[in-house]
Amino acid sequence: MTFDDMNTARDAIIVYTDGGCSGNPGPGGWACVVIADGEARELSGGEAHTTNNKMELTAAINALAAVHNTARFAGRPVTLYSDSQYVRNGITAWIHGWKKNGWKTAAKKPVLNQDLWQQLDALNAALTVEWRWVKGHAGVQYNERCDWLCQQEMAKFR
């Protein structure tokens, strides 16, 4: 490992996100863990009536907003792990076509959750984010922690 590699690894911010619902729609929760400078910061919340996809997007939005709004994180790369292919594929691939087509899908229907996608797109553009998919419920420490936090948030609405 070179000095530059060590510096990059030290500067990196690692984020895990998750969202879910009990029923879809139903009571939902979102959570994220932001890992930087040797600390892991947890954030979570929920809604009484929402969808799984909204909660997955909300988790990513809140995680990136926390990074963006933390001055000492300015200019540092972010690796975001999500177990949602919807979020990962949406922000890395599908969004380009949606914007080009006036926020319509390939089937010419309005993109669902457009307001959330626009928030996520703005944060993604303001940061250097590498989007990675992680298999859910596979024993990945921080993904499991996010899932647990989501469950706690959902329970508040039951």
Side-chain angles (χ1 to χ4, degrees), residues 73-85:
F73 294 164
R76 292 168 61 178
V78 178
T79 302
L80 188 146
Y81 292 89
S82 173
D83 62 9
S84 170
Q85 291 283 14

Side-chain angles (χ1 to χ4, degrees), residues 38-59:
E39 298 174 20
R41 180 177 169 204
E42 298 176 349
L43 303 168
S44 63
E47 295 181 24
H49 189 77
T50 188
T51 66
N52 185 67
N53 286 343
K54 284 182 181 180
M55 292 293 93
E56 292 281 8
L57 284 164
T58 301

Side-chain angles (χ1 to χ4, degrees), residues 72-136:
R72 75 177 195 272
F73 294 164
R76 292 168 61 178
V78 178
T79 302
L80 188 146
Y81 292 89
S82 173
D83 62 9
S84 170
Q85 291 283 14
Y86 171 72
V87 170
R88 185 182 162 281
N89 291 337
I91 197 65
T92 62
W94 306 334
I95 199 164
H96 308 296
W98 294 338
K99 292 193 306 187
K100 190 173 96 180
N101 296 328
W103 290 97
K104 300 268 193 251
T105 66
K108 308 288 184 228
K109 297 189 181 194
V111 171
L112 296 177
N113 305 312
Q114 178 183 338
D115 58 331
L116 297 175
W117 283 114
Q118 288 171 326
Q119 289 177 56
L120 187 59
D121 186 42
L123 287 162
N124 189 52
L127 298 164
T128 302
V129 183
E130 180 182 346
W131 293 85
R132 293 192 182 170
W133 179 77
V134 62
K135 184 174 173 65

Side-chain angles (χ1 to χ4, degrees), residues 18-31 45-59 83-84 113 116 137 146-158:
D18 197 15
C21 272
S22 180
N24 195 20
W30 63 266
E47 295 181 24
H49 189 77
T50 188
T51 66
N52 185 67
N53 286 343
K54 284 182 181 180
M55 292 293 93
E56 292 281 8
L57 284 164
T58 301
D83 62 9
S84 170
N113 305 312
L116 297 175
H137 310 287
C146 287
D147 181 68
W148 185 85
L149 291 166
C150 286
Q151 296 300 321
Q152 299 307 301
E153 293 294 341
M154 282 184 247
K156 294 176 182 178
F157 300 103
R158 290 189 192 127

Side-chain angles (χ1 to χ4, degrees), residues 14-18 31-35 59 63 79-82 134 140-144 146:
I14 307 298
V15 174
Y16 283 83
T17 66
D18 197 15
C32 60
V33 178
V34 178
I35 306 158
T79 302
L80 188 146
Y81 292 89
S82 173
V134 62
V140 176
Q141 177 185 358
Y142 291 110
N143 179 259
E144 296 291 344
C146 287

